């Protein structure tokens, strides 16, 4: 466990927390003293992570989360407050797109629009709306929205919506002590991206990076931890 305890007594809800950036973020926040809610569609993996954190002395519990269902977005916030009595940090870390349907504008499957926007934008709205009602009571909170890369027209448009939503939440609730930030990483070597991108593709990303380095999930977790902290 880390010596720094910036999140002692804080409660953090992380969606998509069973793997990749979400898992690294949950582990980082827990290491700094947070009480965690691990929300993920893959409930068995979420439960395994919660059990691991509990063994390490960090209070955590798992919830099954379906970002395509608005009620599930509200329920994980309600269950968090029911378990811990409050919520201090919300990390919206769910998104994705089927790139065989989400193509360029001319060739995309427009019938796929609702599904992509529900998963990537409406779920963020619903979860954040539910959390804000608790956060504004105490004039404190931090909301981190994780954005992916720029593949897929619908996906990119939905993530642009998340960026806009972030600005509006920050403007509307900043004076109440609510901080809202969006973290927009490029290629991050999560297990999923490592499996799906061969080395020659990764080398293209590295070529156009400012530094000769591809990100790790722990790098993004460190950024989120900074934004969620009083620092």
């Amino acid at each position: 466990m880390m010596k720094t305890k910036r999140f002692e007594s804080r409660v953090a809800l992380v969606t998509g927390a069973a793997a990749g950036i979400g898992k690294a973020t949950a582990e980082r926040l827990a290491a700094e003293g947070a009480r965690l809610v691990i929300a993920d569609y893959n409930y068995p993996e979420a439960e395994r992570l919660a059990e691991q954190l509990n063994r390490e002395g960090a209070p955590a519990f798992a919830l099954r989360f379906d970002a395509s269902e608005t009620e599930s977005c509200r329920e994980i916030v309600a269950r968090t407050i029911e378990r811990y009595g409050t919520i201090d940090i919300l990390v919206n870390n769910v998104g994705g797109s089927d790139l065989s349907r989400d193509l360029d504008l001319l060739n995309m499957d427009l019938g796929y629009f609702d599904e992509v926007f529900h998963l990537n934008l409406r779920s963020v709205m619903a979860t954040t709306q539910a959390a804000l009602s608790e956060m504004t009571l105490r004039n404190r909170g931090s909301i981190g929205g994780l954005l992916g890369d720029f593949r897929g027209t619908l996906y990119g448009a939905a993530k642009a919506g998340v960026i806009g939503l972030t600005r509006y939440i920050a403007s509307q609730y900043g004076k109440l002590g609510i901080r809202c930030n969006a973290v927009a990483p490029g290629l991050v070597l999560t297990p999923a991206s490592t499996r799906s991108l061969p080395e020659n593709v990764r080398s293209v990303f590295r070529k156009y990076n400012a530094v000769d380095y591809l990100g790790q999930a722990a790098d993004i977790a460190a950024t989120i931890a900074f934004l969620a902290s009083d620092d």
Side-chain angles (χ1 to χ4, degrees):
M1 301 293 282
M2 302 181 69
K3 292 182 180 180
T4 306
K5 295 290 185 181
R6 293 184 292 185
F7 305 111
E8 198 79 65
S9 79
R10 302 280 180 90
V11 174
L13 167 59
V14 183
T15 67
I21 292 172
K23 181 180 180 182
T25 299
E27 291 173 334
R28 176 63 182 255
L29 296 176
E32 294 200 42
R35 292 172 287 169
L36 263 294
V37 178
I38 311 298
D40 202 286
Y41 189 78
N42 187 344
Y43 179 74
E45 284 300 315
E47 197 168 38
R48 270 191 278 274
L49 177 57
E51 290 171 353
Q52 170 199 317
L53 294 176
N54 277 297
R55 285 194 301 270
E56 295 171 356
F61 79 106
L63 291 175
R64 185 184 181 279
F65 172 55
D66 186 349
S68 68
E69 298 291 338
T70 300
E71 190 52 43
S72 182
C73 298
R74 296 173 179 144
E75 183 182 357
I76 59 171
V77 174
R79 292 280 303 278
T80 298
I81 296 169
E82 178 185 324
R83 177 68 171 260
Y84 292 127
T86 189
I87 179 171
D88 299 291
I89 300 163
L90 170 62
V91 182
N92 285 303
N93 175 54
V94 171
S97 182
D98 179 354
L99 296 181
S100 67
R101 300 175 67 187
D102 186 4
L103 304 170
D104 61 277
L105 185 59
L106 184 62
N107 297 298
M108 76 167 63
D109 177 1
L110 198 55
Y112 189 43
F113 179 95
D114 286 348
E115 188 174 335
V116 173
F117 271 68
H118 200 137
L119 176 65
N120 292 283
L121 180 56
R122 185 172 176 173
S123 67
V124 174
M125 286 182 166
T127 310
T128 304
Q129 184 184 56
L132 273 172
S133 60
E134 170 66 19
M135 289 178 172
T136 54
L137 290 176
R138 298 170 299 106
N139 293 351
R140 190 182 75 196
S142 179
I143 302 164
L146 300 185
L147 311 184
D149 57 35
F150 300 99
R151 297 170 296 169
T153 306
L154 292 172
Y155 180 79
K159 291 304 185 182
V162 171
I163 293 172
L165 176 64
T166 299
R167 294 191 178 110
Y168 273 82
I169 294 171
S171 299
Q172 293 168 358
Y173 297 98
K175 285 183 168 50
L176 295 176
I178 305 295
R179 296 195 310 276
C180 186
N181 296 283
V183 179
L187 176 61
V188 177
L189 295 180
T190 62
S193 65
T194 302
R195 285 194 303 270
S196 61
L197 295 177
E199 179 54 40
N200 64 316
V201 175
R202 281 180 255 161
S203 67
V204 174
F205 281 89
R206 188 182 295 109
K207 176 182 177 181
Y208 291 101
N209 276 358
V211 295
D212 187 24
Y213 175 75
L214 294 178
Q216 300 290 331
D219 301 324
I220 311 305
T223 301
I224 294 168
F226 167 73
L227 293 171
S229 74
D230 291 336
D231 292 342

